Amino acid sequence: MFTDSHCHLTFPELVASLPQIRQAMAQAQVGRALCICTTLEEFSDVHNLATTYDNFWATVGVHPDNEGVTEPTIDDLLQRGRLPRVVAVGETGLDYYRIGERSHADMHWQRERFRTHIRAARQLQKPLVIHTRSASVDTLAILREEGEDGSPGSAGGVFHCFTDSEDVARQALDMGFYISFSGILTFKTAQDLRDVASWVPLDRLLIETDSPYLAPVPHRGKTNNPSYVPHVAKLLASLRSRSTEEIGTLTSENFSRLFRGVIS
């Protein structure tokens, strides 16, 4: 069995095809998926997936890249985070990739939003789903400032769709986080990332699609969906001298352990 630890099934590219996607998941032995929330406005649709289907779960959060949406308070996240089948806070983090002409100081709102999510996750004692792009120094610093060092009371979580350096991976692991790899791992240009994936401890690995984006080879360029996550497992298996089925099993076990045993 395989588990897609990060997908966006409420996005327009996928929502209309859900019956076909679920059929494809079953055929590919993808037994579970975590449906990710990116705005409070979207939450009810994400949560509905998790309460309708017994192999879907949900998160609550507001993506760092989203502007012009409802700004979450800690209470907003706590209220939704306590609902059944909501197992994590996020995705949240920092994204300076599209900073454009804005300065680092101009992104203060994004850093404050991140802190709000961390504080809510710590109160809920549910893990964080971390998005970081062109912002790893600040992401790691804020996590440390908020007490996310792997000690008792930490929320922990996962650095999803990991694309950063070996040093960032080691720091995240030292803080108790998991590392999740997406279809990017299969791209010809991703050798540095494969080098990182070749040594991340097996008990801290997760796999994901981040669908509808980043379809893995041999589906690159197509709309991604959770049934493609075994291709990520296959690439990891080749790096770790394991079978694809072994990678599927151990990453599924890691998924269950990270989300506090809520997912059986």
Side-chain angles (χ1 to χ4, degrees), residues 162-175 177-179 181 185 190-206 235-242 247 250 254:
F162 191 84
T163 56
D164 268 299
S165 67
E166 176 178 332
D167 179 62
V168 172
R170 291 191 185 280
Q171 290 185 66
L173 290 164
D174 287 345
M175 295 164 69
F177 284 82
Y178 288 63
I179 304 292
F181 294 100
L185 200 65
Q191 185 57 50
D192 288 349
L193 189 60
R194 287 190 284 275
D195 291 343
V196 174
S198 69
W199 61 261
V200 170
L202 291 172
D203 63 355
R204 298 284 196 89
L205 280 173
L206 293 177
L235 194 286
L236 268 172
S238 70
L239 294 174
R240 307 305 295 260
S241 299
R242 302 274 178 144
I247 294 296
L250 72 87
N254 294 345

Side-chain angles (χ1 to χ4, degrees), residues 4 33 47 63 76 137 141 152 164 169 176 190 200 207 228 260:
D4 185 354
H47 189 233
H63 192 289
D76 288 330
V137 172
D164 268 299
V200 170
I207 55 176
Y228 291 168
R260 311 289 195 255

Side-chain angles (χ1 to χ4, degrees), residues 8-240:
H8 298 280
L9 295 181
T10 59
F11 282 19
E13 300 93 325
L14 297 178
V15 67
S17 303
L18 188 58
Q20 295 93 327
I21 289 170
R22 288 184 56 80
Q23 183 178 14
M25 288 174 64
Q27 291 173 344
Q29 295 185 295
V30 180
R32 303 182 297 183
L34 182 57
C35 302
I36 304 296
C37 177
T38 62
T39 65
L40 293 183
E41 290 84 350
E42 177 195 23
F43 174 77
S44 61
D45 290 336
V46 174
H47 189 233
N48 184 60
L49 286 175
T51 56
T52 300
Y53 301 102
D54 64 4
N55 61 339
F56 287 166
W57 285 265
T59 72
V60 58
V62 180
H63 192 289
D65 230 9
N66 283 334
E67 300 182 58
V69 298
T70 301
E71 192 62 34
T73 65
I74 291 177
D75 284 344
D76 288 330
L77 298 172
L78 293 179
Q79 179 186 11
R80 293 163 176 80
R82 293 187 177 116
L83 292 173
R85 302 185 70 79
V86 179
V87 297
V89 175
E91 67 186 277
T92 182
L94 300 174
D95 193 322
Y96 297 164
Y97 182 73
R98 296 181 180 88
I99 194 170
E101 297 181 357
R102 291 178 289 186
S103 68
H104 181 270
D106 291 333
M107 305 307 288
H108 176 73
W109 64 271
Q110 205 178 81
R111 293 186 287 276
E112 288 306 301
R113 179 186 287 177
F114 186 24
R115 292 183 190 275
T116 295
H117 283 76
I118 298 169
R119 293 167 188 174
R122 288 171 66 82
Q123 288 190 46
L124 291 165
Q125 280 298 284
K126 291 185 177 181
L128 291 152
V129 177
I130 303 293
H131 170 108
T132 181
R133 192 176 187 191
S134 303
S136 57
V137 172
D138 281 359
T139 299
L140 292 165
I142 289 172
L143 286 167
R144 290 193 182 95
E145 289 167 11
E146 294 293 330
E148 285 300 308
D149 56 6
S151 61
S154 295
V158 56
F159 276 55
H160 107 89
C161 194
F162 191 84
T163 56
D164 268 299
S165 67
E166 176 178 332
D167 179 62
V168 172
R170 291 191 185 280
Q171 290 185 66
L173 290 164
D174 287 345
M175 295 164 69
F177 284 82
Y178 288 63
I179 304 292
S180 181
F181 294 100
S182 71
I184 293 174
L185 200 65
T186 70
F187 296 176
K188 289 182 180 179
T189 55
Q191 185 57 50
D192 288 349
L193 189 60
R194 287 190 284 275
D195 291 343
V196 174
S198 69
W199 61 261
V200 170
L202 291 172
D203 63 355
R204 298 284 196 89
L205 280 173
L206 293 177
I207 55 176
E208 64 174 89
T209 59
D210 201 13
S211 51
Y213 311 115
L214 306 173
V217 176
H219 301 290
R220 190 172 183 185
K222 298 179 181 179
T223 301
N224 203 1
N225 74 77
S227 73
Y228 291 168
V229 80
H231 295 289
V232 183
K234 181 179 179 180
L235 194 286
L236 268 172
S238 70
L239 294 174
R240 307 305 295 260

